[in-house]
């Protein structure tokens, strides 16, 4: 197991209930392995079989829903330490409900979800997995809350407050680019940039590159 990947696995929460001395054994039992993707390379196509879930080590993964009329809608972005595709791997059909694409040059740590239930650490890993599923549901509810806001500023502030609350403070790092954030909020990029600058001028927020603070 490569030590440089441990931080991302720890951030995911999958190993939360394991002793650190057992990380190596769990890594081997789940067949964990890193894989690199170029920007815009498809990781899983919508409807494709899924056996292995992924933990984002670096970069960004975009989850989109493809519609029959040829349009797409952005569902989620997954950044460092976040897990994707586990719902597909655990579902009855074992297929991906989304098209998952590397939105930047991205490194993914894959693991075999089904092997959790035959692992020497089944109880600890299952407990971690259940928390992942619960956190993913909460993430979906947060997105619904953000998109339920009609005004652009309301959407921005709701999203920022949710991000800050995850860090137990008023500051957070936003891993998305400005364009990616606009897609996530379902707003125009130019309008988003204008509103962010206005909010900074009015003293509501401050930001420097990807570091944001709610004032």
């Amino acid at each position: 197991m490569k030590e440089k990947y441990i931080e991302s696995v720890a951030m995911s929460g999958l190993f939360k209930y394991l002793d650190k001395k057992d990380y190596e054994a769990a890594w081997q039992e789940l067949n964990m392995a890193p894989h690199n993707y170029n920007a815009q390379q498809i990781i899983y196509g919508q409807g494709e079989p899924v056996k292995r879930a992924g933990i984002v080590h670096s970069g960004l993964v975009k989850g989109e829903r493809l519609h029959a009329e040829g349009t797409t809608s952005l569902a989620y972005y997954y950044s460092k330490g976040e897990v994707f595709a586990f719902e597909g791997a655990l579902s009855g059909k074992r297929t991906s409900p989304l098209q998952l694409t590397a939105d930047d040059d991205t490194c993914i740590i894959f693991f075999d979800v089904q092997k959790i239930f035959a692992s020497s650490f089944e109880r600890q890993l299952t407990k971690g997995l259940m928390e992942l599923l619960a956190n993913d549901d909460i993430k979906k509810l947060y997105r619904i809350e953000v998109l339920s806001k009609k005004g652009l500023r309301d959407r921005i502030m709701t999203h920022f407050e949710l991000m800050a609350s995850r860090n137990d403070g008023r500051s957070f790092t936003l891993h998305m680019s400005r364009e990616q954030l606009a897609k996530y909020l379902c707003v125009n990029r130019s309008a988003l940039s204008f509103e962010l600058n206005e909010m900074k001028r009015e003293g509501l927020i401050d930001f420097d590159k990807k570091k944001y603070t709610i004032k």
Side-chain angles (χ1 to χ4, degrees):
M1 180 177 57
K2 302 284 183 65
E3 290 299 324
K4 68 178 182 178
Y5 300 117
I6 285 296
E7 180 187 359
S8 299
V9 176
M11 285 177 65
S12 76
L14 183 63
F15 284 4
K16 180 177 179 179
Y17 296 99
L18 284 178
D19 291 331
K20 288 186 177 181
K21 63 180 177 59
D22 295 323
Y23 283 7
E24 178 72 33
W27 178 283
Q28 297 297 332
E29 289 191 13
L30 299 185
N31 291 337
M32 298 186 105
H35 189 87
N36 294 313
Y37 288 88
N38 297 322
Q40 306 312 315
Q41 186 174 354
I42 294 175
I43 301 168
Y44 285 123
Q46 183 173 303
E48 284 187 358
V50 176
K51 183 179 179 182
R52 296 168 67 80
I55 300 171
V56 181
H57 174 64
S58 63
L60 201 66
V61 173
K62 175 173 61 178
E64 293 179 300
R65 184 72 180 170
L66 310 183
H67 304 291
E69 64 272 19
T71 60
T72 63
S73 56
L74 177 67
Y76 303 103
Y77 277 115
Y78 302 90
S79 57
K80 182 177 176 64
E82 293 189 306
V83 184
F84 64 90
F86 59 87
E87 70 273 60
L90 290 169
S91 68
K93 292 184 177 181
R94 306 278 174 83
T95 57
S96 176
L98 302 172
Q99 176 166 291
L100 295 157
T101 307
D103 211 42
D104 294 312
D105 290 342
T106 300
C107 179
I108 305 298
I109 304 165
F110 285 103
F111 64 97
D112 190 328
V113 178
Q114 295 298 325
K115 286 189 178 295
I116 288 176
F117 308 111
S119 167
S120 306
F121 312 102
E122 179 183 1
R123 181 180 60 82
Q124 298 96 316
L125 291 171
T126 300
K127 192 173 181 180
L129 183 64
M130 291 298 290
E131 283 196 11
L132 286 177
L133 289 167
N135 290 337
D136 194 59
D137 281 345
I138 292 170
K139 181 179 178 181
K140 291 172 182 176
L141 289 173
Y142 283 169
R143 179 111 198 276
I144 292 170
E145 181 180 352
V146 170
L147 296 184
S148 70
K149 306 298 182 182
K150 293 183 178 180
L152 172 55
R153 181 170 294 197
D154 285 341
R155 285 193 183 187
I156 294 170
M157 285 302 296
T158 301
H159 179 58
F160 283 6
E161 286 169 356
L162 291 170
M163 291 292 293
S165 69
R166 290 170 59 181
N167 290 338
D168 298 320
R170 306 303 291 171
S171 297
F172 59 93
T173 300
L174 194 64
H175 296 287
M176 302 177 191
S177 67
R178 190 66 60 83
E179 182 176 353
Q180 290 162 343
L181 178 61
K183 288 180 179 178
Y184 184 80
L185 297 177
C186 298
V187 299
N188 177 273
R189 183 187 183 282
S190 297
L192 173 65
S193 294
F194 177 82
E195 192 65 32
L196 286 172
N197 288 325
E198 281 293 293
M199 292 168 71
K200 182 176 182 178
R201 185 181 63 79
E202 293 173 20
L204 297 174
I205 62 171
D206 195 13
F207 55 85
D208 181 20
K209 296 182 180 179
K210 295 189 175 184
K211 182 78 172 181
Y212 288 77
T213 300
I214 300 174
K215 308 283 287 234

